[in-house]
Amino acid sequence: MVFSLIEAYNLFENNSLKLINPVRSDDKHLNLFHSQEYIDYLKTCQAEFVEGDNDFGIGYDCPCIENLHDYASIVAGASITAAHLINTGMFKHVINWFGGWHHAKRNKASGFCYVNDIVLCIMKLRQKFSRVLYIDLDQHHGDGVQEAFEFTNKVLTLSFHKYMQGFFPGTGSIDDIGKGIGKYHSVNVPLKSGIGDTNFVLLFSSIFSKVLSVYKPEVIVVQCGADSLTGDPIDISDPLNLTLESYTKCIELVINCRLPAIFLGGGGYNFANTSRLWCQLTATIIGCKELKNDIPEHEMFLKYAPDYELLIEPGKVRDKNNHEYIDKILSTVVNNLYYLNYLLQC
């Protein structure tokens, strides 16, 4: 759906957008993060022999699917290819909407994620860049990426996510700031339900600008999970109220800082809205500012019923992120970045 909508808006005719065939990842590259034991299991996993969640996380939310190792190799290879294109200077911005699987651990699948292509992408970038900024816009905390880098000062993770009792994965509190020499290199922005575009962009712009000035990254990786959009079925009881507007403004801020950047996908379970978002972000990244609101007729046109429009209306759930809570988040994050700045000056 994503590809066909991008094609329907004729974005592939833009000279700034090039299609690159990714290189499939081999075990050597998967081994940069994942254990050989886990990789070997992906090769041999058979659905009929999996009962519940096993030691490798295959089960309930990560079922054993056919050709699982091939799938993981393709996903990882695409994001590693994106990093290679940045490292070689061939492109300033690279998009892989098929990537962004931020929950997978070194030895375990988690939260629909069988391979952590983001970690592998960042490790590839680290071959050239000394400081990498990772930004996560998914409704869920980017726990797998943070866990992979929480002991290093070479990667700063910045995650904007919903944080409520019982909400997966249950990590990413504002007090979760990294460990060892990685202390203050994990920046978490825990949100309550109902946040809208205005408050989200306020938080993002304030914190992102401060992170840039303090950490001075050389390259940025952004996970653009679409499940924070209003109408996503992942959590209908306590949703967020975000629309394409907030995501677009955040990505514009990333582009305007003029650093090389990789944009990845992630969650998004209302497939029509996810396609709307990633099409809009593709246009933003390549400098095509205006897309007509009426979706062009194409093979997937009926999926966008009943309005057949690109833009979506904001949700109407009460915003539990009041001014006092937002001020508390900002003051805490800014204070932590003050200490990070002190450590970087030593």
Side-chain angles (χ1 to χ4, degrees):
M1 284 183 69
V2 178
F3 189 94
S4 64
L5 188 59
I6 292 172
E7 192 173 40
Y9 274 102
N10 297 319
L11 294 181
F12 289 119
E13 297 179 8
N14 189 300
N15 291 331
S16 297
L17 188 60
K18 308 292 183 183
L19 280 174
I20 305 293
N21 289 325
V23 177
R24 175 173 166 164
S25 175
D26 56 19
D27 285 3
K28 178 182 176 181
H29 286 100
L30 292 177
N31 264 142
L32 292 174
F33 177 59
H34 294 288
S35 70
Q36 189 61 51
E37 183 183 23
Y38 177 65
I39 295 169
D40 289 341
Y41 179 78
L42 295 183
K43 296 177 182 177
T44 60
C45 174
Q46 296 183 42
E48 59 265 31
F49 298 116
V50 175
E51 297 181 4
D53 288 347
N54 63 19
D55 292 341
F56 296 104
I58 304 299
Y60 173 65
D61 60 358
C62 295
C64 183
I65 59 177
E66 189 175 358
N67 300 319
L68 185 50
H69 179 265
D70 291 342
Y71 167 78
S73 299
I74 293 169
V75 170
S79 292
I80 292 172
T81 299
H84 172 75
L85 295 172
I86 293 291
N87 286 356
T88 57
M90 293 179 64
F91 296 93
K92 188 71 172 288
H93 302 132
V94 182
I95 300 169
N96 174 25
W97 296 135
F98 191 44
W101 303 97
H102 59 175
H103 293 308
K105 310 300 195 301
R106 179 178 182 273
N107 207 41
K108 189 174 185 179
S110 177
F112 312 133
C113 304
Y114 299 94
V115 62
N116 202 314
D117 64 294
I118 305 172
V119 172
L120 295 170
C121 173
I122 291 173
M123 295 184 75
K124 182 71 174 180
L125 291 172
R126 283 281 298 114
Q127 294 177 2
K128 178 177 181 180
F129 299 99
S130 298
R131 290 184 181 177
V132 181
L133 170 60
Y134 169 68
I135 302 172
D136 196 309
L137 302 179
D138 199 278
Q139 184 173 175
H140 302 85
H141 177 235
D143 59 331
V145 183
Q146 178 181 299
E147 182 178 306
F149 298 113
E150 64 184 347
F151 282 95
T152 181
N153 56 10
K154 304 301 183 182
V155 179
L156 188 147
T157 60
L158 171 59
S159 181
F160 297 80
H161 53 271
K162 188 164 68 177
Y163 183 74
M164 300 177 64
Q165 185 175 5
F167 188 70
F168 183 85
T171 54
S173 78
I174 200 164
D175 299 318
D176 194 354
I177 59 174
K179 302 174 182 178
I181 63 172
K183 189 175 183 180
Y184 300 118
H185 288 76
S186 296
V187 181
N188 285 297
V189 184
L191 305 171
K192 299 179 181 180
S193 63
I195 194 166
D197 290 334
T198 300
N199 281 338
F200 191 89
V201 173
L202 169 65
L203 283 167
F204 183 91
S205 60
S206 302
I207 294 171
F208 175 65
S209 62
K210 189 66 176 177
V211 167
L212 282 181
S213 64
V214 171
Y215 188 61
K216 297 179 174 58
E218 299 171 353
V219 63
I220 301 175
V221 177
V222 190
Q223 197 266 24
C224 304
D227 51 6
S228 289
L229 288 173
T230 182
D232 194 278
I234 196 67
D235 187 8
I236 58 175
S237 59
D238 291 296
L240 307 183
N241 290 326
L242 301 184
T243 72
L244 277 59
E245 179 183 352
S246 51
Y247 279 87
T248 301
K249 287 183 177 179
C250 292
I251 297 308
E252 285 176 343
L253 289 171
V254 173
I255 293 171
N256 290 340
C257 73
R258 301 187 182 281
L259 292 173
I262 294 175
F263 302 92
L264 304 173
Y269 309 97
N270 180 320
F271 299 142
N273 282 353
T274 298
S275 300
R276 287 177 168 101
L277 174 64
W278 292 345
C279 178
Q280 174 62 63
L281 294 186
T282 300
T284 300
I285 293 165
I286 65 175
C288 180
K289 297 294 185 182
E290 295 291 337
L291 293 180
K292 62 180 182 179
N293 194 33
D294 291 331
I295 291 177
E297 290 192 23
H298 63 293
E299 58 181 345
M300 295 289 182
F301 182 69
L302 295 180
K303 300 290 186 180
Y304 300 95
D307 56 7
Y308 305 102
E309 293 181 347
L310 181 68
L311 301 181
I312 62 176
E313 293 295 320
K316 295 178 172 59
V317 175
R318 183 174 70 86
D319 188 352
K320 296 181 180 178
N321 304 271
N322 57 33
H323 292 303
E324 290 77 16
Y325 184 72
I326 290 176
D327 288 344
K328 179 183 177 182
I329 290 177
L330 286 173
S331 62
T332 303
V333 170
V334 169
N335 187 59
N336 288 338
L337 290 174
Y338 170 83
Y339 288 114
L340 173 60
N341 186 58
Y342 174 79
L343 291 175
L344 294 175
Q345 302 304 318
C346 294

